[in-house]
Structures are given as structure tokens and as C-alpha cells.
Amino acid sequence: FSLLMRRSRSVSLSIARSLHPSLQPGAYAVLLLIMDGGEAVRAVDIAARTGLDKSTMSRELSQLAALGLIERVQDPDDGRARLVRLTDDGRSRFERAREERRTHLRERLATWEPTEIEDLARLLSKLNGTLGA
């Protein structure tokens, strides 16, 4: 399990660096949540899903904005609040990095039987649920 986690961190670092050379690995997870959140999301929602505190999330988002990957926009439902969303460049880079990650994984699992991949997905989902409880 420790080896799997180390390899996962290594892959995350590689993907983050493919997005931008100075991007930290954790930022990929933040971008993923923004991407999967729809058009724009609240920073507090991202912080809750990642388990990061408000100040850490603020620093992550500031770095992503400085790199031109996200932008802050006004919340149409609350003029006082701000939302974050991917810039066009951020979306393009993220999609390219996500596809590279998927291609890499497909290549690694090419010799596996479909039932083995299904079993892995089911068990990883179960593990995720157990760890998240």
C-alpha cells in the first residue's frame, strides 16, 4: 500500500509538472475538483473536499491564478462572493494532462483481463469509501 501511494505521488508530480513546471502535485487535485465542479465553484467547497484549511486553499488558488490556470469571478447568486474557474489555457492544459494520465494507465493495464480491471475498480472504490468514512 505504501508503494502504491509513493507511486501515485510520483505520477501526480509528473502530471502537475506537465501542466506547469512550478506546479505542486496537490494542485492537480484542486484543478480536478474545479474541472469536475462545473463552470465555477466556491473555494470553500474545494477546501472541504480536499480537507485543506482556508489559508492553504487560498495559497493554492493564488498560485494557480498566478500561473494563469484559474481565474476568480463574481458569484452571480451572491455579489459579495467569488467563484473560481479554469481559464481557457488552464482547461486545455488540464485536459491534455488528464488524457496523458489515462493513456499511461491504459498502457500499464493493457495486459490485464477486463474482469481484473473491474475488480480493481470495485475494490478501490470500496477502499476509498472505507478511508473516507
Side-chain angles (χ1 to χ4, degrees):
F1 188 73
S2 295
L3 179 59
L4 176 65
M5 298 309 296
R6 281 194 307 275
R7 286 186 176 155
S8 177
R9 280 191 293 274
S10 177
V11 168
S12 291
L13 176 60
S14 175
I15 291 169
R17 296 289 157 82
S18 75
L19 281 160
H20 193 281
S22 60
L23 196 64
Q24 295 300 309
Y28 178 79
V30 173
L31 289 172
L32 176 63
L33 291 171
I34 295 170
M35 179 78 163
D36 290 346
E39 180 59 28
V41 295
R42 296 179 333 149
V44 68
D45 293 336
I46 302 167
R49 298 227 17 232
T50 59
L52 297 175
D53 64 49
K54 188 176 178 179
S55 64
T56 302
M57 180 54 57
S58 179
R59 283 191 301 276
E60 285 278 356
L61 294 175
S62 292
Q63 180 196 27
L64 292 170
L67 296 174
L69 301 173
I70 66 161
E71 59 187 349
R72 292 178 171 95
V73 296
Q74 189 168 355
D75 184 340
D77 299 326
D78 180 355
R80 300 166 296 162
R82 307 283 286 169
L83 302 174
V84 293
R85 68 178 177 201
L86 294 174
T87 61
D88 290 341
D89 184 45
R91 182 174 305 281
S92 172
R93 287 174 182 247
F94 180 85
E95 288 172 349
R96 189 170 46 252
R98 182 184 247 181
E99 188 53 39
E100 286 173 14
R101 184 177 190 161
R102 287 178 176 161
T103 298
H104 176 78
L105 190 54
R106 277 189 214 105
E107 289 170 357
R108 297 288 189 224
L109 298 177
T111 61
W112 287 38
E113 294 295 325
T115 55
E116 292 174 314
I117 296 171
E118 290 167 6
D119 288 344
L120 175 64
R122 180 181 52 76
L123 292 170
L124 284 174
S125 178
K126 184 176 181 177
L127 177 62
N128 241 351
T130 301
L131 296 177

